[in-house]
Amino acid sequence: MNVIVRTLVDLYEALVRWYHSWRYGPVARRLGKTDGAGHGLIVVQIDGLSHDELLRALSGGHMPYLAQVLRAGEGEAYRWFSGLPSTTPAVQAALMYGTKHGIPGFRWYEKSTGAYPVCKLPGFVNRLQARLSAGRTGILRGGSSYANMFDGDASTSLFTLAAIGGSSLLQRAGVLPLFIILASSPLRVARIAALSVWTYLSELWRRVSAFFWPSKFGRLSLLSPFIHVLTDVLVREISTFAALVEIHRGVPAIYVNYTSYDEWAHRFGPDDGHALRALRAIDGQLKQLDRMRRWGGRPYDLYVLSDHGMTACVPFDTAFGQTLGEFIDGCIEGSTRTDEAIMGPVDLQEPAALLGYETEAVEDDLDGLSREVARSLRESLEKRVEAEPPEPAVRSDVVVRDSGPLSHVYFNAVADRPATLEELSEFYPGLVRRVAGHPGIAVVAVRSPDGPVLVTAAGVFPAVRESAAAVFTGLVEATELLDEVVRLLEFSNSGDLVVLGRWGWWGRPDQVVSFERQRGTHGGAGGHQCDAFVVAFTAPSISLDGVRTASDLYRLFLSYQSEPLAVETEGVVTDTASAPVEAVPTRRQPQR
C-alpha cells in the first residue's frame, strides 16, 4: 500500500514539474537558467497594510490563503516600526540598501538648486538610487524586482521606477513572446478575463454613482473603467507571472510589490470595501507564489511584509477651510510668494504610471500596428496620472511640500542652507509658535545652534528623550518617533520646519490630520502609519522577534547573498560578517 501511495505521489510531483517546465520554461530559456545554489529569497510587499489592519483582514476572511498558512503554524505575523517618513521611498530604500538618508518624504525641496524632487519620476528615482547604492549592496543582486520604487541591484525588473528603460523583463524576454506565453494558460486567461469584467463593471458603477456622491467618487469618465482593468488587473497579473517565471528559473532573490491596497486606501480609507477587495486579490497572487516556490527546484524562503501602515485621516483644508500653505502665508506680515503642492487621490496612479513608463520604454522595439497601440495606451495612461505642479519661474519666499500628515516648510530668506529657530524668529517673529499652536498640528520640529527643538501648543521642548512623552502624547513609540524626527532634521534637504499633523482627531486615536486630500494617509506619526508587519515562511521556521526596523530586515535579507558583502549604514562601512546583528534573527547558511 505504501508503495502505491509513494508511486502516486511521485507521479503527481512529476506531472507538476512537467507542467511548470511547459508553462514557464520558454520564458526561462529566453532569460537563461541560473545555477540555483543555496536558499533563495522571495519578498512580497503589500504596500500600506498596517499590522492591525492585517489582523482585521485575516479575521474578516479577506485574506483566506494567508490565514490558512498562519493557522497551520507555518508563519507568524510580527509588527515592526517603519519610522519617519513612513513612505515607500524611505522605507524601501532602507529595506533594499540599508539606508534612507536624504529621503525626507515623498516630495521635498532642494534649497541649493531650487529643485522640487518627487519620488514618482523614473529619472529622478534612478539618480536617487545611484546615490543610495554607492558603497552599499542591494538585497536583490542577481535577482528580480517587480513594481517597486528601487531595484535593489536586480538583474531583471518590471514596473520598477529606478530601472525603467534599463533591465526590463519586457526588453529581455520580448513583448510578444511574453504575452503569447502568458496567454497560453487557459485558467490564467479565464481568471484575467473574469477579473477584468468584474473590475470594469465595478468601476463603471462607481463612476455612475459619481452623479450622486461626487465628493467621494470623482467625476465620470468612460475611459476610466478600461484604465482600471489595465492597472488593477493587468499589472498585478503580469508581475505575478514574471515572479513565477523567476522562481522556475531559480534566481537568487525576488521582490514583488502589490500597490492596489495602498491606492484604494488613500482614496476611501484603510478599511473600505474597495481596499479590502484589493487585499483578497493580492492574497490570490500570494497563493500562486507560495505554491510555486514549494514545487520549484531551488528552495526559497518567502517573506510577506508591508513597508508602512495606513490610518484614517481628515484633510487639513477640509477641517479648517485653508491649506497649510495658506495658513502660514496668513501668519506672515507683508506680501510673500508661497509655493505649495496639494495633491488629491487619483485612483491607481502608481500602477498606471508604471505601465505607461514600461510601455514607453519598449515602443522603439515595436513596429507597425503594435507600436501605434503601445503609443495610444501610453498617452491614455499619461492623461490619467496627476501631474506635479510645474516649478515656479521665480524662487518663492515660502515652499511647502507635503507627504500626507508630514510637511516640510522651507523659507528662502535663508537660501543656501536650513534656517534655525533663531533666524526664523528674526525674519518672521512669532511664526513658529503660531504654526505649532494650530489645532490641526501636533508638532513642529526646527533646528537650533543648541540642538533640535520641538514646538507644540504646550511649549518648546529640547529634542531629548525626556521630552518624548510630552511631545508625542499618547503614542506608544514616543521615544522612537523623537529619534526619527531628530534624524530628519539631520538631512540637509528636510524643511526648515518639519510639521506633523495632529493625531487623535475628534477623539479617535487612529485618525490624524493630513495635509493632502485623502481619506487614508501615511508619512507621519499617529494611528497605524508606522505599524508595518512581516511574516516569514521558512523551513526551518525562524523567529522574527528581533526585527524592529527596516535596517534589521535589510541585514536579514542580505544574509541570503552567497558571500560576505560590504554594508554601509548611515556613512559607516562595515562587513556583514562583523555587522551588529545580535538583535536580528539569524538564518541558516545557504546549502552548497
Side-chain angles (χ1 to χ4, degrees), residues 42-46 92 96 140 144-148 235-236 238-241 243 254-258 285 289 302-303 305:
I42 303 173
V43 180
V44 174
Q45 176 177 312
I46 305 177
Q92 203 171 82
M96 290 194 176
L140 300 180
S144 304
S145 167
Y146 299 108
N148 290 302
V235 169
R236 183 177 66 231
I238 292 176
S239 296
T240 301
F241 175 77
I254 303 164
Y255 197 124
V256 56
N257 180 26
Y258 296 107
Q285 310 302 303
L289 294 171
L302 170 62
Y303 295 84
L305 56 78

Side-chain angles (χ1 to χ4, degrees), residues 206 228 232 260-269 274-275 278 348:
R206 194 168 68 85
H228 265 252
D232 195 23
S260 55
Y261 171 80
D262 182 84
E263 296 270 350
W264 286 118
H266 274 308
R267 178 73 177 177
F268 298 116
H274 293 83
L348 301 175

Side-chain angles (χ1 to χ4, degrees), residues 22-182:
W22 170 78
R23 183 73 184 84
Y24 305 107
V27 176
R29 285 190 291 272
R30 290 181 68 92
L31 297 172
K33 289 284 286 182
T34 65
D35 57 16
H39 272 77
L41 169 68
I42 303 173
V43 180
V44 174
Q45 176 177 312
I46 305 177
D47 200 325
L49 181 61
S50 70
H51 179 266
D52 283 7
E53 200 61 50
L54 168 71
L55 298 183
R56 281 193 287 270
L58 292 171
S59 62
H62 302 292
M63 303 189 74
Y65 182 74
L66 182 56
Q68 172 189 325
V69 172
L70 294 177
R71 282 196 301 269
E74 298 183 31
E76 183 177 350
Y78 293 84
R79 179 181 172 277
W80 60 278
F81 179 64
S82 66
L84 298 179
S86 48
T87 61
T88 298
V91 181
Q92 203 171 82
L95 286 169
M96 290 194 176
Y97 292 105
T99 181
K100 58 183 179 181
H101 190 80
I103 305 179
F106 190 83
R107 54 180 64 84
W108 62 90
Y109 173 61
E110 298 281 355
K111 274 192 174 185
S112 59
T113 62
Y116 293 78
V118 58
C119 292
K120 68 178 183 182
L121 304 176
F124 170 74
V125 176
N126 180 269
R127 293 191 297 273
L128 179 60
Q129 176 175 276
R131 178 178 63 76
L132 291 168
S133 63
R136 303 176 179 89
T137 300
I139 62 170
L140 300 180
R141 189 180 63 167
S144 304
S145 167
Y146 299 108
N148 290 302
M149 185 73 62
F150 306 107
D151 67 19
D153 294 345
S155 299
T156 304
S157 67
L158 188 65
F159 307 132
T160 298
L161 273 176
I164 296 294
S167 55
S168 172
L169 177 70
L170 294 179
Q171 292 173 308
R172 292 188 61 193
V175 178
L176 187 59
L178 184 65
F179 278 93
I180 289 176
I181 295 169
L182 177 66

Side-chain angles (χ1 to χ4, degrees), residues 141-283:
R141 189 180 63 167
S144 304
S145 167
Y146 299 108
N148 290 302
M149 185 73 62
F150 306 107
D151 67 19
D153 294 345
S155 299
T156 304
S157 67
L158 188 65
F159 307 132
T160 298
L161 273 176
I164 296 294
S167 55
S168 172
L169 177 70
L170 294 179
Q171 292 173 308
R172 292 188 61 193
V175 178
L176 187 59
L178 184 65
F179 278 93
I180 289 176
I181 295 169
L182 177 66
S184 64
S185 169
L187 290 177
R188 183 173 296 276
V189 171
R191 183 175 63 252
I192 292 175
L195 287 171
S196 298
V197 171
W198 172 256
T199 301
Y200 185 90
L201 293 177
S202 298
E203 173 63 8
L204 188 60
W205 169 250
R206 194 168 68 85
R207 292 291 166 172
V208 171
S209 301
F211 286 119
F212 305 99
W213 299 286
S215 61
K216 179 175 181 179
F217 291 113
R219 67 184 185 276
L220 176 66
S221 169
L222 295 178
L223 185 60
S224 289
F226 173 69
I227 299 298
H228 265 252
V229 170
L230 291 175
T231 56
D232 195 23
V233 177
L234 196 60
V235 169
R236 183 177 66 231
E237 290 289 334
I238 292 176
S239 296
T240 301
F241 175 77
L244 293 172
V245 170
E246 298 297 59
I247 295 172
H248 180 75
R249 289 179 63 210
V251 301
I254 303 164
Y255 197 124
V256 56
N257 180 26
Y258 296 107
T259 64
S260 55
Y261 171 80
D262 182 84
E263 296 270 350
W264 286 118
H266 274 308
R267 178 73 177 177
F268 298 116
D271 57 356
D272 183 83
H274 293 83
L276 296 177
R277 282 192 289 274
L279 285 182
R280 180 176 287 274
I282 293 170
D283 186 71

Side-chain angles (χ1 to χ4, degrees), residues 328-345:
I328 292 175
D329 192 54
C331 292
I332 299 174
E333 295 184 3
S335 176
T336 58
R337 289 189 303 271
T338 300
D339 177 60
E340 182 178 23
I342 298 294
M343 307 301 289

Side-chain angles (χ1 to χ4, degrees), residues 536-580:
F537 302 171
T538 61
S541 62
I542 65 171
S543 170
L544 297 177
D545 282 331
V547 168
R548 295 289 181 268
T549 67
S551 295
D552 294 338
L553 286 168
Y554 168 73
R555 290 195 292 270
L556 173 61
F557 296 157
L558 197 64
S559 70
Y560 283 82
Q561 301 279 358
S562 58
E563 59 189 68
L565 300 168
V567 184
E568 183 179 344
T569 303
E570 303 305 341
V572 179
V573 180
T574 64
D575 188 271
T576 55
S578 59

